[in-house]
Amino acid sequence: MNKEILNLLKKGLLFAAFAIPAYLVLLLITANWAPDPLKRNINFRMGSYGHMHSRLKEVRESGQVELLFLGSSHTYRGFDTRLFEAEGWRVFNLGSSSQSHLQTQVLLQRYLQSLRPKLVIYEVYPGTFATDGVESSTDILSNDVVDRYAWTMVLKTPGLKVFNTLVPALWSDWTGQKSTYIEEAVKGPDTYVPRGYVEMELQHYKTVRDTSSREWTWRSKQLRAFAQNLEMLKDAGAEVLLVMAPIPPGHYRNYKNTAVFDSLMQNHGRYYNFNDLMLLNDSLHFYDAHHLNQLGVEAFNRELIKLLKDYWLAL
């Protein structure tokens, strides 16, 4: 190695010794104090949309449950824990925004042993099989401890936004910010309900007529994580029901390969697609293109509770 190359390497190391710490400090400053327009590649939001911080804080103290809900925002906005508790069941809703199966896996690794559910309602919205998982990874990094499971999740959902969120998430762990943070139960139209549900003020979807044909797609890494999650639940002795929650019928009808998705889910276990089992109205029972309003949640949950009662009796 000649002298010029050695000098070049030395300059590179000196630059890295300055640039890396400077970048990390800049990340912390930006994550904590910069206005949102300057944080396009950072998504560190403690107490973010969806009350994930409150949900995770509560699940650590939950203890054993009979019924556990897993899945995306369709879960924490679609399964009202109060209605199931009224039936005498101890429940917990562990849904989170855009939760893909990679993030479900992290939550199961952390909390399945303490929750020890008898029955798991695993909400299987097809979109969660197509996502890269970045949004949900940053949500969990921002609101839960960064442990070995979080590092594995980061490796499986690589990207600048995930790395940039990891740094302030680690810092907030080390400084105790996460453990002392208190999230408000009422934020805008959302109210956090104990055991993980979020109730939205009653609103009605202003339907936009859209007849464009679409198809569901899915990623192999999400399918693998889904299969691994089912195996983990089986090993823990939990029964599993796969449930596709209702979405506005006007949108649901645009997807042309729903039967393929139904068949895929049926190959993995007992599966119920409530879009085909119930007759709901776009504007009466939904508040946007994805989520049931409270009237829709109550109608959906009544039907599910009927099914669960039959299921329990059959056990």
Side-chain angles (χ1 to χ4, degrees):
M1 189 176 295
N2 62 41
K3 191 173 180 180
E4 286 186 1
I5 294 177
L6 283 174
N7 286 335
L8 192 62
L9 283 174
K10 286 180 182 176
K11 288 179 181 177
L13 289 172
L14 283 173
F15 176 76
F18 168 78
I20 292 174
Y23 184 71
L24 296 178
V25 170
L26 185 61
L27 270 181
L28 292 176
I29 293 172
T30 305
N32 286 289
W33 293 290
D36 284 346
L38 297 179
K39 296 195 283 190
R40 293 174 57 186
N41 286 317
I42 303 176
N43 197 30
F44 178 71
R45 299 177 190 280
M46 201 157 45
S48 54
Y49 181 77
H51 281 89
M52 190 56 169
H53 192 276
S54 297
R55 188 173 299 107
L56 292 171
K57 188 174 183 179
E58 192 178 7
V59 75
R60 296 184 197 108
E61 303 166 356
S62 167
Q64 187 174 6
V65 299
E66 291 170 298
L67 188 54
L68 173 65
F69 300 98
L70 298 170
S72 67
S73 59
H74 295 196
T75 301
Y76 74 78
R77 295 187 181 279
F79 300 97
D80 187 339
T81 50
R82 296 167 296 192
L83 301 177
F84 295 89
E85 288 181 318
E87 299 296 327
W89 301 326
R90 185 169 174 79
V91 307
F92 201 91
N93 190 324
L94 201 50
S96 65
S97 297
S98 299
Q99 185 182 123
S100 77
H101 306 284
L102 294 168
Q103 289 77 42
T104 304
Q105 190 161 94
V106 173
L107 296 174
L108 287 175
Q109 288 166 330
R110 286 180 182 156
Y111 303 114
L112 180 59
Q113 191 172 6
S114 61
L115 291 170
R116 288 178 291 157
K118 293 181 180 176
L119 178 63
V120 173
I121 304 296
Y122 197 151
E123 181 258 324
V124 286
Y125 175 61
T128 62
F129 290 85
T131 179
D132 58 12
V134 168
E135 180 183 347
S136 183
S137 286
T138 59
D139 189 22
I140 290 177
L141 289 172
S142 299
N143 292 290
D144 208 352
V145 64
V146 180
D147 58 10
R148 60 191 174 103
Y149 303 121
W151 282 101
T152 303
M153 177 182 71
V154 169
L155 293 174
K156 290 181 178 178
T157 53
L160 184 61
K161 186 175 283 188
V162 175
F163 174 77
N164 286 348
T165 303
L166 173 65
V167 174
L170 279 168
W171 179 257
S172 65
D173 273 2
W174 293 335
T175 57
Q177 291 176 31
K178 282 183 192 167
S179 59
T180 57
Y181 178 79
I182 297 175
E183 185 175 29
E184 295 178 349
V186 180
K187 294 194 290 188
D190 285 345
T191 298
Y192 182 75
V193 175
R195 317 300 291 175
Y197 177 62
V198 174
E199 180 178 353
M200 163 78 83
E201 281 180 3
L202 185 60
Q203 298 177 16
H204 296 279
Y205 182 39
K206 296 176 182 176
T207 310
V208 177
R209 186 170 177 76
D210 179 6
T211 58
S212 57
S213 178
R214 301 172 188 172
E215 288 195 350
W216 304 111
T217 59
W218 31 84
R219 297 177 184 230
S220 57
K221 69 176 183 179
Q222 294 292 0
L223 288 170
R224 281 196 302 274
F226 175 61
Q228 291 165 354
N229 295 344
L230 293 178
E231 195 65 28
M232 198 185 319
L233 291 167
K234 180 182 176 183
D235 291 344
E239 297 284 337
V240 179
L241 293 186
L242 305 176
V243 171
M244 185 172 172
I247 62 174
H251 290 283
Y252 179 73
R253 286 193 294 268
N254 292 341
Y255 288 93
K256 304 306 178 189
N257 61 339
T258 302
V260 177
F261 181 76
D262 288 345
S263 178
L264 180 66
M265 290 298 102
Q266 286 160 357
N267 287 335
H268 283 282
R270 191 173 299 197
Y271 167 66
Y272 298 91
N273 183 348
F274 279 82
N275 292 281
D276 294 332
L277 297 175
M278 299 180 66
L279 185 60
L280 296 176
N281 179 276
D282 286 18
S283 56
L284 180 61
H285 295 109
F286 296 85
Y287 71 81
D288 66 12
H290 276 274
H291 302 100
L292 295 157
N293 63 20
Q294 190 60 26
L295 295 176
V297 168
E298 292 172 7
F300 168 44
N301 288 184
R302 279 196 300 271
E303 291 302 310
L304 179 59
I305 286 170
K306 287 181 192 174
L307 186 151
L308 291 179
K309 286 180 175 177
D310 293 340
Y311 182 81
W312 289 120
L313 288 174
L315 288 179

